[in-house]
Amino acid sequence: MNTTCININENNTSFFYFLIIFNPFRSEGIVFNDKKPFPQHAAYTKGTIKPNHKTQAQLDADVIFVYQRWKKNYLTEDIGEKGQYYIKYQQSGAVTCSEAHGYGMVTLAYMAGADSKARDYFDGMFHFLKLTQVMAIQN
């Protein structure tokens, strides 16, 4: 099954910066600390490639721009239940998939420092997930 969860065919390098800044493979170890909202400006290990033609502020602005566009295009409020959200990943058929939903929740957690409503969206996605799990069990 081939599922595309995000369209990166647009000629925009901001998405590239988004991936660099949120690289899950940084080798400095995992730190679980909810007191580090975006932008974290983590120290990268020696040899990590980071764009050097833009300032950190410009890179942060690029990430916020892509995040806002992603929210506009993919974060969707459930029409049946106000305050519940999911990540729309295709125009017809199933409205979302677990992978899209999970990555959406992670993205919202990362961007909480740049978006005052990120917690509301995250909680809404959690409630949508819990409701769909209950519905799946009942069916």
Side-chain angles (χ1 to χ4, degrees):
M1 181 165 128
N2 185 5
T3 303
T4 303
C5 292
I6 190 165
N7 181 5
I8 59 172
N9 293 332
E10 299 175 33
N11 186 16
N12 189 328
T13 57
S14 298
F15 186 75
F16 175 73
Y17 301 133
F18 182 80
L19 290 177
I20 288 174
I21 291 173
F22 293 124
N23 179 1
F25 302 107
R26 290 183 292 193
S27 61
E28 70 219 19
I30 298 173
V31 177
F32 297 99
N33 185 348
D34 63 350
K35 305 292 185 210
K36 294 181 94 176
F38 178 84
Q40 293 185 19
H41 300 151
Y44 289 88
T45 59
K46 185 177 179 176
T48 301
I49 298 172
K50 181 179 176 185
N52 61 5
H53 66 289
K54 290 190 173 192
T55 66
Q56 185 63 56
Q58 289 170 321
L59 293 173
D60 291 347
D62 287 346
V63 170
I64 292 169
F65 172 79
V66 171
Y67 168 72
Q68 295 295 345
R69 187 179 64 201
W70 168 81
K71 263 190 357 183
K72 180 181 173 213
N73 291 334
Y74 298 100
L75 184 64
T76 306
E77 188 168 21
D78 183 17
I79 58 171
E81 225 22 76
K82 187 157 180 63
Q84 293 188 11
Y85 297 89
Y86 62 90
I87 302 302
K88 176 179 67 176
Y89 82 108
Q90 60 186 10
Q91 294 301 317
S92 61
V95 295
T96 193
C97 64
S98 59
E99 183 178 21
H101 203 82
Y103 280 125
M105 292 178 79
V106 169
T107 300
L108 290 167
Y110 270 132
M111 297 304 293
D115 182 357
S116 62
K117 292 195 49 106
R119 175 79 185 250
D120 295 334
Y121 296 136
F122 182 93
D123 290 346
M125 288 187 73
F126 178 77
H127 293 300
F128 180 87
L129 175 67
K130 295 304 276 180
L131 178 65
T132 55
Q133 286 177 338
V134 168
M135 291 170 56
I137 291 171
Q138 291 175 349
N139 291 331

